[in-house]
Amino acid sequence: MKKTVTTLADGRELLYYDSRDDVVRSAVDRRPLDAVSTSSEVRRDPLLGDSVAIASHRQGRTYHPPADECPLCPSRDGRLSEIPDDSYDVAVFENRFPSLAGDSGRCEVVCFTSDHEVSFADLTEEQAGLVLEAWTDRTAELAELPQVKQVFCFENRGAEIGVTLGHPHGQIYAYPFVTPRTELMLRSMEAHRERTGRNLFDDVVARELADGERIVLTGEHWVAFVPYAAHWPYEIHLHPRRRVPDLRELDDAVRTEFAQIYLELLRRFDRIFGPGEPPTPYISAWHQAPFGVPGREEFGLHLELFTIRRTSGKLKFLAGSESGMNVFINDVPPEAAAQRLREVASE
């Protein structure tokens, strides 16, 4: 992998990740951009103890532009975009409309490919592996920022999820706090250690492997399953068999197999609801250990992939119980979801 660091016209950082070492990235951003002005602020909720990012400047962000005006496509034929070069493998840049900025953290956009018409599932194993390298490199660099406590790499896919740009891309949030979801995992992990003397993540994976009913796909280095208490209609958790706290700790063999396993899972997601159905909307989220917390080495890196579509033409909305009390009600039994995800492998 070759990494090239440059800046955009307004001073934001742009990074190219290339599979070839002889690629030269010297294109200059020729847009007449004003300096980025943000109003990001993190406020603490005294009742719940969690944090909320207030970012009113995001009201003006780009919203469903036509394909020929996509800001994530490379700059070609006189049209200038966020990517000054006329092609790229993987590109990462600071978000122009960040939810978090400065002392409140950082937000980045990850463009998986310059091809506007594909999705992550269409990438080759080499391309998917390069994205993983970019996620890993950004995790390592963002971990060095003094204000950053946790790095979250994720992808939203589909208008139903709220995606406003159709180009295949994801995001990275560098939070100045430990997220509520992770705090819950850390508390559960600590309680499990005190109660049993064992690691919670190891025991969860071992339980699913022993039961087998919710296993979707396994490899030498990875195991994918629908969790016992899945929140979403179709939800997969992907764990490395050797527990590590974050992406930086994955070795070469594990990285190579990740591309194979993950691409297969994404392709199965698009086949869940049968032929002729539109692409399945999903959220793909890496859970990594936060920095500077007790017992972070006990945390288990894993990826969570889920869709809000519960059946053909119907979405799972977060209504009263879910939104008001954070108590999920799942219409699809996890065992049935796992069976369906195994079935679609041969379709």
Side-chain angles (χ1 to χ4, degrees):
M1 178 193 76
K2 180 181 180 181
K3 174 183 172 184
T4 305
V5 182
T6 183
T7 56
L8 296 170
D10 54 11
R12 288 176 294 133
E13 192 172 33
L14 166 67
L15 306 98
Y16 294 99
Y17 294 88
D18 288 289
S19 57
R20 289 169 41 200
D21 291 335
D22 60 347
V23 175
V24 176
R25 299 295 183 186
S26 57
V28 176
D29 185 5
R30 295 182 284 111
R31 296 173 297 169
L33 297 179
D34 295 328
V36 172
S37 177
T38 65
S39 58
S40 179
E41 175 189 359
V42 174
R43 297 184 182 180
R44 190 78 171 172
D45 185 321
L47 294 182
L48 299 179
D50 59 6
S51 298
V52 178
I54 309 297
S56 59
H57 61 275
R58 283 175 54 80
Q59 290 280 31
R61 66 188 185 274
T62 308
Y63 187 80
H64 292 300
D68 60 356
E69 296 179 17
C70 174
L72 307 186
C73 287
S75 295
R76 292 176 183 162
D77 304 322
R79 192 186 68 82
L80 305 179
S81 74
E82 291 278 58
I83 318 294
D85 216 321
D86 61 2
S87 68
Y88 62 85
D89 289 348
V90 175
V92 179
F93 60 86
E94 289 184 76
N95 197 324
R96 192 177 179 188
F97 303 97
S99 302
L100 307 166
D103 292 339
S104 296
R106 177 163 162 140
C107 292
E108 299 180 342
V109 177
V110 183
C111 301
F112 302 141
T113 171
S114 59
D115 189 342
H116 184 87
E117 301 302 325
V118 304
S119 68
F120 200 117
D122 298 313
L123 302 183
T124 65
E125 291 180 12
E126 181 183 22
Q127 288 175 306
L130 186 60
V131 175
L132 177 61
E133 291 299 323
W135 284 331
T136 304
D137 181 75
R138 298 315 302 146
T139 296
E141 289 211 351
L142 293 170
E144 298 301 316
L145 298 180
Q147 72 271 33
V148 173
K149 302 302 181 186
Q150 185 173 2
V151 174
F152 177 45
C153 307
F154 64 100
E155 180 193 3
N156 299 331
R157 202 277 285 267
E160 300 93 329
I161 296 293
V163 174
T164 57
L165 297 175
H167 196 97
H169 74 288
Q171 299 180 67
I172 300 175
Y173 277 23
Y175 297 103
F177 50 81
V178 179
T179 62
R181 187 85 177 274
T182 304
E183 284 186 337
L184 286 174
M185 290 188 211
L186 291 172
R187 289 202 294 270
S188 296
M189 181 185 77
E190 182 180 2
H192 187 81
R193 173 65 73 182
E194 292 179 355
R195 187 172 64 253
T196 68
R198 300 190 303 271
N199 180 273
L200 174 60
F201 295 94
D202 292 346
D203 281 1
V204 166
V205 173
R207 171 187 176 177
E208 295 297 346
L209 285 169
D211 183 282
E213 192 174 7
R214 290 174 297 277
I215 295 292
V216 175
L217 190 62
T218 61
E220 182 180 356
H221 303 289
W222 294 89
V223 55
F225 56 86
V226 177
Y228 174 75
H231 290 59
W232 299 95
Y234 291 90
E235 175 182 336
I236 297 175
H237 290 192
L238 177 62
H239 287 250
R241 290 180 182 267
R242 181 180 69 85
R243 173 174 44 83
V244 296
D246 61 40
L247 290 167
R248 297 174 295 180
E249 301 297 323
L250 297 176
D251 63 31
D252 289 344
V254 180
R255 292 177 181 279
T256 297
E257 190 180 81
F258 167 78
Q260 303 163 3
I261 295 280
Y262 185 53
L263 288 172
E264 173 62 19
L265 292 176
L266 292 180
R267 291 161 186 166
R268 292 190 191 192
F269 250 51
D270 275 342
R271 297 195 291 261
I272 292 173
F273 303 105
E277 287 291 319
T280 301
Y282 65 73
I283 291 175
S284 177
W286 279 110
H287 292 275
Q288 303 193 79
F291 311 117
V293 299
R296 81 174 301 272
E297 293 300 318
E298 290 279 297
F299 192 89
L301 167 78
H302 61 285
L303 183 143
E304 181 178 336
L305 174 67
F306 66 88
T307 180
I308 62 172
R309 185 177 293 163
R310 56 188 175 88
T311 189
S312 179
K314 296 179 181 179
L315 301 180
K316 164 67 178 176
F317 292 103
L318 298 189
S321 185
E322 290 90 353
S323 295
M325 284 295 173
N326 201 29
V327 178
F328 275 67
I329 301 167
N330 191 351
D331 300 328
V332 181
E335 294 74 19
Q339 175 63 29
R340 179 58 182 160
L341 285 161
R342 289 192 296 267
E343 290 173 350
V344 295
S346 59
E347 291 185 3

